[in-house]
Amino acid sequence: MDGDPGDRAPLVDLREVDESQVSVVGGKAAHLGALSRIDGIRVPAGFCVTTAAFRRVMAEVPAIDDRLDQLSRLSPDDREAIRTLSAEIRRSVEQTAIPDDLAAAITGALARFGEQAAYAVRSSATAEDTPTASFAGQQDTYLNVVGPEAVLRHVSRCWASLFTERAVIYRLRNGIDHRTVQMAVVVQRMVFPDASGILFTADPVTGNRKVATVDASFGLGEALVSGLVNPDVYTVRDGEVVAGTVATKQRAVAALPGGGTREVAIDPQRQEQPALTQAQVVRLVRLGRRIEAHFGSPQDIEWCLVDDDFQIVQSRPITTLFPIPAVADQENHVFLSVGHQQMMTDAMRPLGLSMWQLTAMAPMLEAGGRLFVDATRLLASPASRAGFLTMAGRDDPLMKDALETLLDRRDFIPTLPDGGGPGHPTTGGASTSTETDPAVVTELIERSGASIAALRRDIATVTGPALFDFLLEAFQEHKRVLGDPLNMQAIMAGMEATWWLNDRLHEWLGEKNAADTLTLSAPGNVTSEMGLALLDVADVIRPHPEVVAFLQGVADNGVAHDDFLDELPKVPGGAEARDAIEAYLDRYGMRCVGEIDITRPRWSERPGTLVPVLLDNVKLFEPGAARRRFEQGEQQARQKAQEVLTRLRALPDGEQKADETARMIDRVRAFIGYREYPKYDIISRYYAYKQALLAEAERLVRAGVLAETEDVFYLTFQEFHEVARSHRVDDELVRQRREAFRSYQALTPPRVLTSDGETITGAYRRDDVPAGALAGVPVSAGTVEGRARVILDMAQADLEAGDILVTAHTDPSWTPLFVGIAGLVTEVGGLMTHGAVIAREYGLPAVVSVLDATRLIRDGQRIRVHGSDGYVEILP
């Protein structure tokens, strides 16, 4: 906007601005200006005091730069300091005189609209009402302001409201520099409505884009916004009111003749009358759809009704809705979250998303920084539906329930004739995997190792655009290895044996989840071995107090000090400790939290991440713990097998049942460990891809093409390829992608999402969970009571013996923490996801898929985990 005279003008008429002038007039005014240009939309007339005026006044505020520096250094949790300093800044802004020429310009504008008329004076910040952040309610609005002196005073108060406590905390939490946000002020002719309220052009609760909701009450909208009244609520779909509730409205906010507002009582005869007729509700929603179409996204709209005429006083994007995956048709679709299956529901950057799409075995769609698969055809065909729902129920009962909820409506997913959709493997009974020879596990691991070694050797020889061509071929090898029928048979052999044992032993012996004990310390599990191997590293460190003290210093200073391995040999015992850590990283350093996103820093890149876990292992365990733990698990599994077989032989047809069970026990122990290996293969390949791509990015930085290496994380693989070819990058695209990623991080991805935008959570429909307990999926048997440690970042772990880990999700990288805990609770997961498999191998009682566990369970509370029955009790 440098060349735009509006950038320097202190005032501009609302009808002259649009969304392109946010830096001049702020988000609210830009939206109001755009609204006033939409055919058929009425907006109260007015003008905007621009950010140029704000900058002039701020330049006169005493010591403002020093105060903003102090403010930026505060923690968002330091509420008292923020309250004190922000109040000082507000007072100083309000006490700073408005320059005479600016005051004259404002009073001159008022003369055109009516000097003694009533006005609404409203804050309009430059970071407000954007597609990714609404900043709703953070700055101030003043209604029924009468007279030039009052308007000038309230303009100053709006400027000062940029520094309300809530606005300052929001910026600190979101990493927004206080200096980058500026304040314009909207001055509009006051509207005195018969009724007012809010229109959401999408259902703000379910996310359904085809459903609009209207809240309405009498008088000014402040009564509704402040919670003074319960509004009438209407739901509109396809131009028809499909639900409506008329509330008893006892109070309203009305304008005073001399300025300001007050609460008034509504005449008892009017209290139960609707604020709008149904015809007016439908007409309002039609206006809302027009506004939504103009801005290109669902809107939160404030409206007023005056003499049966709607006026729009604000429209902002609804920023809490989860985006919908793009499809090429207008048909109904059902999308399932990939992150819930991969135990990583965090937002991913564009390079990570596109790499997973290019290497996945099934087509995937992106939305909100997450990946989804389209399950519509599987659900539409009766031939595939039953097997698919059975598989979904084993993996994630909440997802199955959400899908059944959708199917029960019978109007969203059309039923195709049998054979109309692709089949899906069933999950019961025998299959080709039941005949698989255990020797294939060794063969598959050897094949994988040879393929990865060839990748590492060959990828080192290519650079520039040729690297991307090489990688596209490498992705095909990647998928060939994963899709090898023998690989799938080996995976399914262990999973099917687990299901068989659980089902049959429950039927025959009344045993719940018997396979949990039978799989303790199963051989060949690369993920559980990774956790035990870190215990061995702790054994090397424990005898050297100087090394322990050094590592404690690293942990206290944060994981940013990732060059500590270079310094470690300078302390006694440090060289031996470094060698042990580096040997561990050689084997497992490609792993990290959120490892399916190639842009996440690996342990080899940030070894400091492992230091807190190593220190916990030094503190909590005696030497030789890894070997003892594994042997103890083996012994428990043998004893359980003997006990089960003895009890079976005492039953009718007992010898046959025992023989079948013995074969399945052998099979589960031979194959269940391999369940973790394909992910190890994938992540090993990912690290090779990443090292080559980062080396290419560094070359582009040296060539002046990229500003910094990590800019490529905000490009797709295909876009990165084009940058390597053309030596040109769109810096604005990178900036927009960074901003979008930040906004996606605040969203919670749904398990099930429809093409209408509706998110369906699913529910546990069980009567065996005690009142007040939190239901989940039982994945590892046993009951344990202990202190809950709610940990969202593995690097922040600080465990004591007997602690129970409560977290959102655990991919394999969390396994080193598992050796030091007594139980596990997660918000995401199923019977065969990584956290569940490792919990069983380590003998940890575990309940997964507990909705909102990290919010409902407070860190430090005592809880009891019922790993066999699938619920968690919060104890007094």
Side-chain angles (χ1 to χ4, degrees):
M1 293 293 300
D2 288 345
D4 191 325
D7 196 29
R8 297 181 295 278
L11 265 62
V12 60
D13 191 287
L14 275 182
R15 292 169 299 183
E16 297 173 7
V17 300
D18 58 27
E19 305 99 311
S20 69
Q21 292 166 283
V22 170
S23 64
V24 177
V25 298
K28 185 179 285 120
H31 275 72
L32 287 168
L35 284 165
S36 67
R37 297 165 182 236
I38 302 173
D39 186 40
I41 303 297
R42 293 199 58 197
V43 176
F47 60 90
C48 180
V49 183
T50 69
T51 55
F54 171 77
R55 288 193 296 274
R56 279 187 64 189
V57 171
M58 288 298 289
E60 301 300 320
V61 176
I64 188 62
D65 285 331
D66 290 343
R67 287 168 168 176
L68 290 181
D69 286 341
Q70 290 177 49
L71 207 57
S72 65
R73 288 194 293 267
L74 293 176
S75 161
D77 297 320
D78 194 350
R79 303 293 288 269
E80 189 57 42
I82 291 171
R83 186 177 299 120
T84 302
L85 187 53
S86 62
E88 285 179 14
I89 295 173
R90 289 198 304 277
R91 278 195 302 273
S92 294
V93 173
E94 288 184 39
Q95 290 166 4
T96 299
I98 298 176
D100 291 345
D101 61 324
L102 178 55
I106 293 171
T107 54
L110 292 174
R112 292 200 305 277
F113 289 102
E115 192 172 272
Q116 292 304 315
Y119 291 90
V121 182
R122 313 172 67 195
S123 305
S124 180
T126 54
E128 188 175 3
D129 297 348
T130 66
T132 57
S134 74
F135 287 70
Q138 290 188 13
Q139 285 88 40
D140 290 344
T141 286
Y142 302 97
L143 300 179
N144 199 30
V145 181
V146 178
E149 285 187 16
V151 169
L152 289 170
R153 187 166 64 252
H154 284 86
V155 166
S156 288
R157 292 177 71 181
C158 281
W159 286 332
S161 74
L162 189 63
F163 301 100
T164 62
E165 183 183 345
R166 60 186 179 272
V168 167
I169 290 172
Y170 184 92
R171 291 196 293 271
L172 288 172
R173 288 201 191 285
N174 289 276
I176 299 169
D177 186 340
H178 301 297
R179 288 181 173 81
T180 62
V181 184
Q182 298 183 35
M183 180 68 80
V185 182
V186 175
V187 182
Q188 281 178 288
R189 283 293 298 262
M190 185 67 191
V191 176
F192 301 101
D194 304 313
S196 59
I198 298 170
L199 159 64
F200 293 99
T201 64
D203 187 318
V205 177
T206 69
N208 195 320
R209 306 319 198 254
K210 292 187 177 178
V211 173
T213 65
V214 175
D215 291 2
S217 62
F218 295 125
L220 292 168
E222 293 304 294
L224 193 157
V225 173
S226 65
L228 181 66
V229 297
N230 290 322
D232 301 341
V233 180
Y234 298 94
T235 302
V236 178
R237 181 168 187 144
D238 298 328
E240 180 184 348
V241 176
V242 294
T245 304
V246 177
T248 301
K249 299 170 286 295
Q250 298 178 333
R251 311 288 293 173
V253 173
L256 293 168
T261 61
R262 68 181 174 93
E263 293 180 21
V264 297
I266 296 174
D267 187 320
Q269 293 181 327
R270 291 187 68 211
Q271 287 181 5
E272 296 190 17
Q273 292 181 4
L276 298 176
T277 67
Q278 291 208 1
Q280 287 171 329
V281 170
V282 171
R283 178 153 52 94
L284 174 61
V285 170
R286 277 203 299 269
L287 293 175
R289 293 292 179 213
R290 201 175 297 169
I291 294 168
E292 178 184 68
H294 175 86
F295 288 118
S297 66
Q299 297 288 300
D300 165 359
I301 298 166
E302 295 181 26
W303 55 269
C304 295
L305 181 70
V306 184
D307 299 328
D308 196 36
D309 186 24
F310 286 105
Q311 297 203 38
I312 306 301
V313 295
Q314 186 156 321
S315 184
R316 61 166 72 93
I318 307 175
T319 59
T320 55
L321 299 177
F322 200 88
I324 306 171
V327 290
D329 58 43
Q330 298 301 309
E331 302 297 319
N332 290 344
H333 291 265
V334 183
F335 307 108
L336 307 185
S337 165
V338 172
H340 283 79
Q341 298 303 305
Q342 290 295 331
M343 297 292 281
M344 209 295 276
T345 55
D346 296 345
M348 295 168 67
R349 295 171 181 82
L351 184 61
L353 290 164
S354 63
M355 290 288 284
W356 194 260
Q357 287 172 304
L358 286 165
T359 53
M361 301 304 293
M364 293 184 180
L365 303 166
E366 182 274 332
R370 278 79 170 188
L371 291 169
F372 294 84
V373 292
D374 189 340
T376 314
R377 289 185 65 79
L378 283 168
L379 293 167
S381 167
S384 58
R385 183 188 301 152
F388 182 70
L389 287 173
T390 300
M391 180 68 84
R394 289 195 184 275
D395 286 346
D396 187 342
L398 289 173
M399 186 173 283
K400 180 186 179 186
D401 184 80
L403 292 173
E404 288 177 333
T405 299
L406 196 59
L407 287 164
D408 285 346
R409 296 177 187 171
R410 301 185 184 281
D411 61 347
F412 191 81
I413 303 173
T415 297
L416 299 173
D418 278 352
H424 194 278
T426 58
T427 59
S431 75
T432 53
S433 66
T434 61
E435 302 308 319
T436 301
D437 180 352
V440 303
V441 169
T442 304
E443 181 185 344
L444 285 166
I445 291 173
E446 287 174 353
R447 283 192 208 171
S448 165
S451 176
I452 292 169
L455 168 67
R456 289 171 177 157
R457 180 189 66 238
D458 296 342
I459 203 169
T461 65
V462 285
T463 59
L467 169 65
F468 296 85
D469 296 329
F470 172 89
L471 282 171
L472 288 172
E473 291 183 15
F475 298 161
Q476 295 310 307
E477 167 68 3
H478 180 126
K479 290 196 278 190
R480 187 197 65 75
V481 170
L482 287 179
D484 183 336
L486 202 58
N487 184 52
M488 299 308 298
Q489 287 176 19
I491 294 170
M492 290 306 297
M495 292 170 66
E496 289 179 351
T498 301
W499 298 330
W500 190 96
L501 287 165
N502 281 338
D503 292 346
R504 296 295 186 275
L505 296 181
H506 187 257
E507 176 189 346
W508 294 337
L509 299 176
E511 284 263 359
K512 280 187 178 179
N513 300 6
D516 293 0
T517 307
L518 294 169
T519 54
L520 284 171
S521 297
N525 187 318
V526 69
T527 307
S528 63
E529 288 168 0
M530 177 175 69
L532 296 177
L534 204 62
L535 287 176
D536 291 335
V537 178
D539 286 353
V540 175
I541 292 168
R542 193 179 291 106
H544 304 290
E546 294 91 346
V547 172
V548 175
F550 176 87
L551 292 177
Q552 189 62 60
V554 173
D556 292 342
N557 290 319
V559 298
H561 296 271
D562 284 314
D563 56 355
F564 75 91
L565 288 174
D566 295 333
E567 300 295 316
L568 188 53
K570 296 177 183 177
V571 301
E576 188 181 353
R578 180 201 59 194
D579 292 347
I581 294 171
E582 288 185 340
Y584 183 87
L585 292 173
D586 286 344
R587 174 87 164 122
Y588 303 110
M590 81 294 287
R591 311 217 83 148
C592 68
V593 172
E595 60 192 12
I596 67 170
D597 181 355
I598 199 171
T599 71
R600 291 287 192 101
R602 311 284 132 174
W603 289 342
S604 285
E605 296 167 325
R606 289 197 185 161
T609 305
L610 292 171
V611 170
V613 190
L614 264 174
L615 289 168
D616 281 343
N617 287 352
V618 168
K619 175 179 66 176
L620 297 176
F621 294 95
E622 295 295 322
R627 178 179 47 77
R628 284 195 305 276
R629 188 170 190 135
F630 189 80
E631 290 172 351
Q632 183 182 0
E634 282 186 314
Q635 184 179 357
Q636 286 179 259
R638 280 195 302 271
Q639 290 172 346
K640 184 67 176 178
Q642 290 169 1
E643 175 213 322
V644 163
L645 296 175
T646 300
R647 290 170 63 195
L648 285 173
R649 290 189 181 104
L651 299 177
D653 300 323
E655 286 299 331
Q656 181 183 343
K657 289 173 179 172
D659 288 347
E660 286 183 81
T661 301
R663 284 198 301 274
M664 282 298 178
I665 291 172
D666 288 344
R667 183 165 294 128
V668 81
R669 291 196 65 79
F671 288 103
I672 198 63
Y674 184 73
R675 165 72 181 82
E676 291 293 297
Y677 194 84
K679 188 72 168 283
Y680 179 83
D681 177 290
I682 292 170
I683 302 307
S684 297
R685 293 175 191 276
Y686 262 40
Y687 191 43
Y689 304 154
K690 181 179 186 179
Q691 288 175 303
L693 289 169
L694 283 179
E696 187 59 32
E698 287 162 4
R699 278 189 283 273
L700 291 168
V701 169
R702 290 195 296 273
V705 177
L706 295 174
E708 55 184 275
T709 306
E710 291 193 0
D711 283 355
V712 298
F713 292 169
Y714 299 94
L715 303 174
T716 66
F717 176 85
Q718 296 85 346
E719 290 164 345
F720 189 2
H721 188 178
E722 179 58 24
V723 171
R725 188 195 62 78
S726 67
H727 271 220
R728 287 196 301 272
V729 67
D730 185 342
D731 292 326
E732 177 59 18
L733 176 66
V734 171
R735 188 197 65 76
Q736 290 173 2
R737 294 269 181 81
R738 283 183 191 271
E739 185 178 320
F741 175 69
R742 277 198 297 270
S743 71
Y744 294 154
Q745 287 176 299
L747 298 176
T748 300
R751 281 174 163 79
V752 177
L753 177 67
T754 74
S755 49
D756 287 351
E758 183 179 4
T759 63
I760 307 174
T761 304
Y764 291 109
R765 306 184 193 281
R766 297 166 49 184
D767 55 12
D768 62 337
V769 176
L774 308 178
V777 178
V779 296
S780 186
T783 301
V784 66
E785 182 180 317
R787 180 180 69 158
R789 291 309 320 270
V790 181
I791 298 172
L792 300 179
D793 180 355
M794 179 179 150
Q796 303 302 316
D798 181 16
L799 298 168
E800 299 290 343
D803 282 350
I804 297 169
L805 174 63
V806 180
T807 190
H809 45 75
T810 59
D811 61 10
S813 68
W814 285 76
T815 301
L817 280 186
F818 284 21
V819 299
I821 60 176
L824 174 69
V825 179
T826 69
E827 295 179 338
V828 175
L831 187 66
M832 284 299 167
T833 47
H834 300 281
V837 172
I838 304 307
R840 289 194 291 275
E841 290 233 1
Y842 286 175
L844 299 175
V847 180
V848 302
S849 217
V850 179
L851 281 173
D852 295 326
T854 60
R855 183 175 61 82
L856 298 173
I857 300 171
R858 294 195 309 275
D859 186 57
Q861 279 186 316
R862 289 196 69 76
I863 61 173
R864 186 180 295 128
V865 177
H866 295 262
S868 302
D869 297 313
Y871 63 88
V872 181
E873 291 180 285
I874 300 175
L875 304 176

